[in-house]
Amino acid sequence: MGRLSVFFVFASVWISTALCVNIPSSTPATASNVDPALLSLSLEFFAFPEYTELSTTANCLDNIAALRGTQPAIRIGGTTQDRATFDPTLAAPVNYSVASPVDAPLNLTYGASFFSLAAQMRGEVTVGLNRQLDNQTNTLEAAMLALQTMPNLLAMELGNEPEFWAESSPIVPPGDTWTPALDGASQKLWFTDFAPSIGNMFQAAVYLQFPTWSTEGLIPILESAVTYVKTFSGHSYPQSACGGASTNLTSLMSHSGIVSYTSQYKPEAAAAHNVSKKYFLGETNSATCGGGGISPTFGAGLWVMDYVLQAALNNVDRLYFHQGTIADCPYCFFGQDIVDAPYYGAAFVSDFLGKDGVKLAMLDDGTGSTGIYAVYGVSGEPLRALVYNSVYYDGTTTRSNVSLNFTLSSSSAQTVLAKRMTAQNATAIIGEGGVVTIGGDGRFDSSCQPTGAQTLESIAVEGGIFEVSVAASEALIVYLS
């Protein structure tokens, strides 16, 4: 940590709006639990072995673990898990061919060393296996080897986003229309057939097209087979970049928009929790098909931060941010030689939650552009506050700011410290002239090693009241103790 100082360095004139916020002295009844691995990663199945070869993978995961005290969990899966066939004679982890490095394979095989690599991940691992090809023998052989090889194995998915399987897929009964009911019956059958060999180790649902395909709808279909389920998973992408679809950064990073969007997962989480299972967003990111133009921006990094907190407030236990084809992945946190702006949001929210944050409360009403949060410790004490100004700033106009007067009645402190995450504007992209910083000069180098001094701002407290200012497209953590 660098020296403490007070600094507010911005070239433009700010337009001030004042808000008054009371920080409850004990955990509010409406606060939500915070899983130690709340922010986790999903790695595309065919690309997983290559991710293990990148120094950025281990370093970026270790940075989050250092902030949270727990390694992020890993989900290995995606579209290519349902194109994969297990080959126990294959020496390499995966075998496939593609015309271009930016392509994903249409079919692939994988061997025993795939699971040996997965066993080396330091967090809990969920592995996705193939159900679409309707080859129970092959998939069960892989599942049994995963269970034998991986002491860190949390669960196994049998199929990825089955709502998109073609009617010609082997799993679809000839002449039938593939529906949530048919898929639910298929999941029930496979769980029941595999459980004697595998146990209660399955991640169920794995749907993207909510609410037509949902955890809430699947559970009644599973009936007693729900006992074989370890976790439930939904997939979530607020926007689409597929097929020429347009994306919108202003909409993505809007605090009120994020509040509204994530509320849909509250009944999904409740359905899973009602049968004593955890509910994950097992694959998520900003926009489908890699993310398009908005996903590597600083605004997307701010979205990551706010999205994680809102998901937790809707009782989602974990979010697994998807990392796709390494050579073509705008929404990825990192690549071969770069750490992108979304990772800064991941690191910043992890700093806010910390090793000791166990309960999360929202202190705004969710209808405006300013997000305000507090995280609480095990004894109910407020630890940190976070302010997010989601007003979109593109760098072409005067940069506005919001001022907040906080009341911290339970504290006799004369000062509090704060850390700011900022960039030139919401559209800033690292590697294209964008400079994203945490604490003044904190950054991540090309291998995801922290670099630069993170300087804290010192803020005076008078009579339990202190004031902060946060610019448009910017966020601030306040350390309360």
Side-chain angles (χ1 to χ4, degrees):
M1 183 183 297
R3 63 185 178 83
L4 303 184
S5 65
V6 182
F7 65 95
F8 299 91
V9 183
F10 299 97
S12 54
V13 177
W14 283 354
I15 302 167
S16 181
T17 304
L19 298 174
C20 295
V21 182
N22 177 64
I23 300 176
S25 58
S26 60
T27 307
T30 55
S32 295
N33 294 325
V34 177
D35 188 281
L38 175 63
L39 188 150
S40 292
L41 290 189
S42 167
L43 305 177
E44 181 62 43
F45 190 93
F46 88 93
F48 163 67
E50 188 176 356
Y51 272 106
T52 66
E53 298 172 0
L54 301 182
S55 61
T56 46
T57 303
N59 291 337
C60 282
L61 291 171
D62 285 348
N63 292 337
I64 302 299
L67 293 166
R68 294 296 327 274
T70 298
Q71 278 282 333
I74 300 296
R75 175 258 187 170
I76 304 168
T79 302
T80 55
Q81 81 185 59
D82 280 317
R83 302 174 184 176
T85 299
F86 178 59
D87 180 356
T89 69
L90 183 67
V94 292
N95 182 47
Y96 60 87
S97 61
V98 290
S100 166
V102 302
D103 293 338
L106 296 179
N107 56 75
L108 66 148
T109 55
Y110 63 102
S113 58
F114 188 95
F115 299 120
S116 299
L117 283 178
Q120 296 173 24
M121 305 303 291
R122 292 197 287 274
E124 293 182 329
V125 178
T126 297
V127 175
L129 301 175
N130 194 327
R131 180 163 57 94
Q132 184 182 22
L133 293 183
D134 199 25
N135 189 337
Q136 278 202 7
T137 301
N138 184 262
T139 300
L140 180 58
E141 185 179 9
M144 292 176 66
L145 184 60
L147 186 64
Q148 174 187 333
T149 306
M150 298 172 57
N152 55 351
L153 182 65
L154 174 65
M156 286 176 266
E157 290 180 357
L158 301 182
N160 173 76
E161 296 177 5
E163 64 265 45
F164 295 111
W165 293 346
E167 301 294 341
S168 59
S169 297
I171 195 71
V172 180
D176 279 339
T177 299
W178 191 238
T179 63
L182 276 179
D183 176 69
S186 173
Q187 292 200 41
K188 177 183 177 180
L189 175 66
W190 281 58
F191 297 159
T192 302
D193 288 350
F194 280 27
S197 301
I198 303 301
N200 306 340
M201 290 290 293
F202 302 106
Q203 177 151 285
V206 201
Y207 298 138
L208 174 64
Q209 288 193 320
F210 177 84
T212 305
W213 301 70
S214 69
T215 289
E216 192 173 16
L218 175 64
I219 288 173
I221 300 172
L222 293 178
E223 298 178 315
S224 61
V226 76
T227 60
Y228 305 135
V229 174
K230 186 76 169 289
T231 57
F232 284 94
S233 167
H235 290 185
S236 175
Y237 291 83
Q239 297 190 23
S240 175
C242 297
S246 60
T247 53
N248 186 290
L249 183 57
T250 305
S251 174
L252 179 74
M253 59 185 284
S254 162
H255 173 63
S256 60
I258 294 168
V259 171
S260 176
Y261 177 82
T262 54
S263 65
Q264 68 185 309
Y265 295 110
K266 194 163 190 172
E268 289 285 87
H273 295 161
N274 286 342
V275 291
S276 303
K277 314 296 181 182
K278 289 192 173 184
Y279 180 75
F280 301 149
L281 293 183
E283 180 185 315
T284 191
N285 219 309
S286 49
T288 55
C289 292
I294 65 170
S295 292
T297 65
F298 178 58
L302 292 166
W303 166 80
V304 167
M305 173 196 71
D306 203 31
Y307 181 62
V308 166
L309 298 178
Q310 284 300 318
L313 287 167
N314 284 287
N315 300 320
V316 172
D317 294 294
R318 288 180 188 166
L319 303 90
Y320 291 75
F321 285 88
H322 197 54
Q323 317 293 295
T325 307
I326 294 173
D328 184 28
C329 189
Y331 60 40
C332 280
F333 286 177
F334 51 85
Q336 292 175 321
D337 56 5
I338 193 169
V339 175
D340 286 308
Y343 182 75
Y344 283 70
F348 199 69
V349 74
S350 298
D351 192 343
F352 166 64
L353 295 171
K355 298 176 182 178
D356 50 358
V358 297
K359 290 281 189 176
L360 175 69
M362 183 167 70
L363 304 183
D364 66 281
D365 65 6
T367 64
S369 59
T370 304
I372 311 166
Y373 302 92
V375 66
Y376 288 80
V378 68
S379 299
E381 72 283 13
L383 301 172
R384 290 168 291 278
L386 184 145
V387 181
Y388 168 40
N389 185 345
S390 73
V391 171
Y392 175 74
Y393 177 64
D394 65 3
T396 63
T397 59
T398 300
R399 193 170 196 171
S400 64
N401 82 296
V402 61
S403 294
L404 298 96
N405 290 318
F406 281 102
T407 300
L408 187 62
S409 56
S410 62
S411 174
S412 60
Q414 296 183 331
T415 59
V416 292
L417 302 176
K419 184 184 293 184
R420 193 175 300 269
M421 181 172 71
T422 194
Q424 303 105 309
N425 49 58
T427 61
I429 298 176
I430 294 171
E432 298 183 12
V435 179
V436 180
T437 60
I438 296 175
D441 196 36
R443 310 182 198 188
F444 299 96
D445 67 15
S446 60
S447 66
C448 209
Q449 293 285 5
T451 183
Q454 292 194 19
T455 306
L456 300 181
E457 306 172 23
S458 181
I459 302 168
V461 180
E462 297 184 9
I465 298 174
F466 63 91
E467 182 178 358
V468 301
S469 292
V470 183
S473 303
E474 188 176 81
L476 184 78
I477 298 170
V478 182
Y479 300 88
L480 304 173
S481 60

